[in-house]
mmCIF file of all heavy atoms in Angstrom:
data_model
loop_
_atom_site.group_PDB
_atom_site.id
_atom_site.type_symbol
_atom_site.label_atom_id
_atom_site.label_comp_id
_atom_site.label_asym_id
_atom_site.label_seq_id
_atom_site.Cartn_x
_atom_site.Cartn_y
_atom_site.Cartn_z
ATOM 1 N N THR B 4 119.656 128.326 39.258
ATOM 2 C CA THR B 4 120.141 127.694 40.481
ATOM 3 C C THR B 4 120.912 128.695 41.336
ATOM 4 O O THR B 4 120.713 128.771 42.537
ATOM 5 C CB THR B 4 121.053 126.493 40.147
ATOM 6 O OG1 THR B 4 120.362 125.654 39.239
ATOM 7 C CG2 THR B 4 121.431 125.747 41.389
ATOM 8 N N THR B 5 121.780 129.462 40.731
ATOM 9 C CA THR B 5 122.553 130.459 41.455
ATOM 10 C C THR B 5 121.635 131.530 42.036
ATOM 11 O O THR B 5 121.785 131.923 43.182
ATOM 12 C CB THR B 5 123.602 131.115 40.532
ATOM 13 O OG1 THR B 5 124.366 130.096 39.924
ATOM 14 C CG2 THR B 5 124.494 132.051 41.310
ATOM 15 N N ARG B 6 120.673 131.951 41.255
ATOM 16 C CA ARG B 6 119.729 132.967 41.730
ATOM 17 C C ARG B 6 118.954 132.428 42.931
ATOM 18 O O ARG B 6 118.741 133.123 43.900
ATOM 19 C CB ARG B 6 118.795 133.362 40.592
ATOM 20 C CG ARG B 6 117.913 134.512 40.938
ATOM 21 C CD ARG B 6 117.094 134.975 39.774
ATOM 22 N NE ARG B 6 116.896 133.865 38.840
ATOM 23 C CZ ARG B 6 116.722 133.980 37.553
ATOM 24 N NH1 ARG B 6 116.693 135.147 36.991
ATOM 25 N NH2 ARG B 6 116.562 132.927 36.777
ATOM 26 N N HIS B 7 118.542 131.137 42.880
ATOM 27 C CA HIS B 7 117.797 130.531 43.983
ATOM 28 C C HIS B 7 118.646 130.489 45.253
ATOM 29 O O HIS B 7 118.180 130.824 46.327
ATOM 30 C CB HIS B 7 117.328 129.129 43.592
ATOM 31 C CG HIS B 7 116.600 128.437 44.688
ATOM 32 N ND1 HIS B 7 115.357 128.839 45.100
ATOM 33 C CD2 HIS B 7 116.941 127.393 45.469
ATOM 34 C CE1 HIS B 7 114.956 128.070 46.090
ATOM 35 N NE2 HIS B 7 115.906 127.183 46.324
ATOM 36 N N LEU B 8 119.905 130.101 45.128
ATOM 37 C CA LEU B 8 120.781 130.057 46.296
ATOM 38 C C LEU B 8 121.006 131.453 46.863
ATOM 39 O O LEU B 8 121.027 131.647 48.071
ATOM 40 C CB LEU B 8 122.114 129.409 45.946
ATOM 41 C CG LEU B 8 122.095 127.904 45.720
ATOM 42 C CD1 LEU B 8 123.458 127.438 45.235
ATOM 43 C CD2 LEU B 8 121.678 127.169 46.966
ATOM 44 N N ASP B 9 121.175 132.445 45.967
ATOM 45 C CA ASP B 9 121.351 133.812 46.425
ATOM 46 C C ASP B 9 120.120 134.277 47.176
ATOM 47 O O ASP B 9 120.220 134.898 48.225
ATOM 48 C CB ASP B 9 121.635 134.730 45.233
ATOM 49 C CG ASP B 9 121.945 136.145 45.673
ATOM 50 O OD1 ASP B 9 122.703 136.293 46.655
ATOM 51 O OD2 ASP B 9 121.438 137.083 45.044
ATOM 52 N N MET B 10 118.939 133.974 46.660
ATOM 53 C CA MET B 10 117.701 134.363 47.314
ATOM 54 C C MET B 10 117.571 133.657 48.656
ATOM 55 O O MET B 10 117.164 134.251 49.640
ATOM 56 C CB MET B 10 116.506 134.021 46.423
ATOM 57 C CG MET B 10 115.198 134.442 47.015
ATOM 58 S SD MET B 10 115.142 136.219 47.183
ATOM 59 C CE MET B 10 113.606 136.533 46.411
ATOM 60 N N ALA B 11 117.937 132.375 48.722
ATOM 61 C CA ALA B 11 117.861 131.638 49.981
ATOM 62 C C ALA B 11 118.777 132.263 51.021
ATOM 63 O O ALA B 11 118.437 132.352 52.188
ATOM 64 C CB ALA B 11 118.233 130.168 49.760
ATOM 65 N N HIS B 12 119.936 132.712 50.596
ATOM 66 C CA HIS B 12 120.879 133.327 51.511
ATOM 67 C C HIS B 12 120.321 134.637 52.085
ATOM 68 O O HIS B 12 120.416 134.901 53.267
ATOM 69 C CB HIS B 12 122.203 133.582 50.786
ATOM 70 C CG HIS B 12 123.218 134.277 51.623
ATOM 71 N ND1 HIS B 12 123.860 133.641 52.646
ATOM 72 C CD2 HIS B 12 123.680 135.545 51.601
ATOM 73 C CE1 HIS B 12 124.689 134.500 53.224
ATOM 74 N NE2 HIS B 12 124.603 135.645 52.601
ATOM 75 N N ARG B 13 119.722 135.456 51.251
ATOM 76 C CA ARG B 13 119.218 136.757 51.701
ATOM 77 C C ARG B 13 117.971 136.641 52.557
ATOM 78 O O ARG B 13 117.812 137.358 53.514
ATOM 79 C CB ARG B 13 118.913 137.638 50.493
ATOM 80 C CG ARG B 13 120.115 138.288 49.902
ATOM 81 C CD ARG B 13 119.717 139.427 48.998
ATOM 82 N NE ARG B 13 118.571 139.106 48.195
ATOM 83 C CZ ARG B 13 118.581 138.886 46.896
ATOM 84 N NH1 ARG B 13 119.710 138.963 46.239
ATOM 85 N NH2 ARG B 13 117.497 138.604 46.234
ATOM 86 N N THR B 14 117.045 135.756 52.213
ATOM 87 C CA THR B 14 115.762 135.726 52.902
ATOM 88 C C THR B 14 115.723 134.752 54.060
ATOM 89 O O THR B 14 114.805 134.792 54.860
ATOM 90 C CB THR B 14 114.622 135.354 51.939
ATOM 91 O OG1 THR B 14 114.849 134.036 51.459
ATOM 92 C CG2 THR B 14 114.505 136.348 50.810
ATOM 93 N N GLY B 15 116.684 133.870 54.148
ATOM 94 C CA GLY B 15 116.674 132.899 55.229
ATOM 95 C C GLY B 15 115.785 131.708 54.932
ATOM 96 O O GLY B 15 115.393 131.002 55.830
ATOM 97 N N THR B 16 115.452 131.493 53.685
ATOM 98 C CA THR B 16 114.650 130.325 53.355
ATOM 99 C C THR B 16 115.555 129.122 53.182
ATOM 100 O O THR B 16 116.721 129.254 52.848
ATOM 101 C CB THR B 16 113.841 130.525 52.054
ATOM 102 O OG1 THR B 16 114.747 130.741 50.988
ATOM 103 C CG2 THR B 16 112.868 131.681 52.183
ATOM 104 N N VAL B 17 115.005 127.977 53.427
ATOM 105 C CA VAL B 17 115.731 126.735 53.223
ATOM 106 C C VAL B 17 114.879 125.892 52.294
ATOM 107 O O VAL B 17 113.796 125.469 52.658
ATOM 108 C CB VAL B 17 115.973 125.993 54.557
ATOM 109 C CG1 VAL B 17 116.672 124.674 54.313
ATOM 110 C CG2 VAL B 17 116.797 126.862 55.483
ATOM 111 N N PRO B 18 115.339 125.661 51.063
ATOM 112 C CA PRO B 18 114.524 124.960 50.081
ATOM 113 C C PRO B 18 114.047 123.595 50.533
ATOM 114 O O PRO B 18 112.959 123.180 50.202
ATOM 115 C CB PRO B 18 115.448 124.840 48.868
ATOM 116 C CG PRO B 18 116.477 125.893 49.054
ATOM 117 C CD PRO B 18 116.609 126.099 50.528
ATOM 118 N N ARG B 19 114.841 122.879 51.301
ATOM 119 C CA ARG B 19 114.468 121.521 51.691
ATOM 120 C C ARG B 19 113.699 121.458 53.009
ATOM 121 O O ARG B 19 113.396 120.379 53.471
ATOM 122 C CB ARG B 19 115.706 120.656 51.777
ATOM 123 C CG ARG B 19 116.328 120.436 50.410
ATOM 124 C CD ARG B 19 117.424 119.424 50.486
ATOM 125 N NE ARG B 19 118.064 119.348 49.182
ATOM 126 C CZ ARG B 19 119.284 118.951 48.981
ATOM 127 N NH1 ARG B 19 120.019 118.579 49.983
ATOM 128 N NH2 ARG B 19 119.781 118.910 47.778
ATOM 129 N N ALA B 20 113.438 122.583 53.633
ATOM 130 C CA ALA B 20 112.648 122.565 54.860
ATOM 131 C C ALA B 20 111.267 122.047 54.511
ATOM 132 O O ALA B 20 110.595 122.578 53.646
ATOM 133 C CB ALA B 20 112.560 123.955 55.478
ATOM 134 N N THR B 21 110.863 121.010 55.171
ATOM 135 C CA THR B 21 109.605 120.378 54.806
ATOM 136 C C THR B 21 108.427 121.162 55.353
ATOM 137 O O THR B 21 108.513 121.833 56.382
ATOM 138 C CB THR B 21 109.537 118.941 55.349
ATOM 139 O OG1 THR B 21 109.506 118.996 56.765
ATOM 140 C CG2 THR B 21 110.713 118.106 54.869
ATOM 141 N N TRP B 22 107.339 121.023 54.627
ATOM 142 C CA TRP B 22 106.105 121.652 55.101
ATOM 143 C C TRP B 22 105.683 121.053 56.432
ATOM 144 O O TRP B 22 105.174 121.758 57.296
ATOM 145 C CB TRP B 22 104.988 121.473 54.060
ATOM 146 C CG TRP B 22 104.981 122.573 53.072
ATOM 147 C CD1 TRP B 22 105.458 122.551 51.799
ATOM 148 C CD2 TRP B 22 104.500 123.903 53.291
ATOM 149 N NE1 TRP B 22 105.308 123.783 51.211
ATOM 150 C CE2 TRP B 22 104.709 124.621 52.100
ATOM 151 C CE3 TRP B 22 103.916 124.544 54.369
ATOM 152 C CZ2 TRP B 22 104.353 125.958 51.978
ATOM 153 C CZ3 TRP B 22 103.553 125.875 54.229
ATOM 154 C CH2 TRP B 22 103.780 126.564 53.047
#
Side-chain angles (χ1 to χ4, degrees):
T4 308
T5 307
R6 187 175 26 209
H7 178 70
L8 288 174
D9 185 43
M10 182 63 129
H12 177 72
R13 280 196 319 251
T14 63
T16 61
V17 177
R19 292 188 185 155
T21 66
W22 271 102

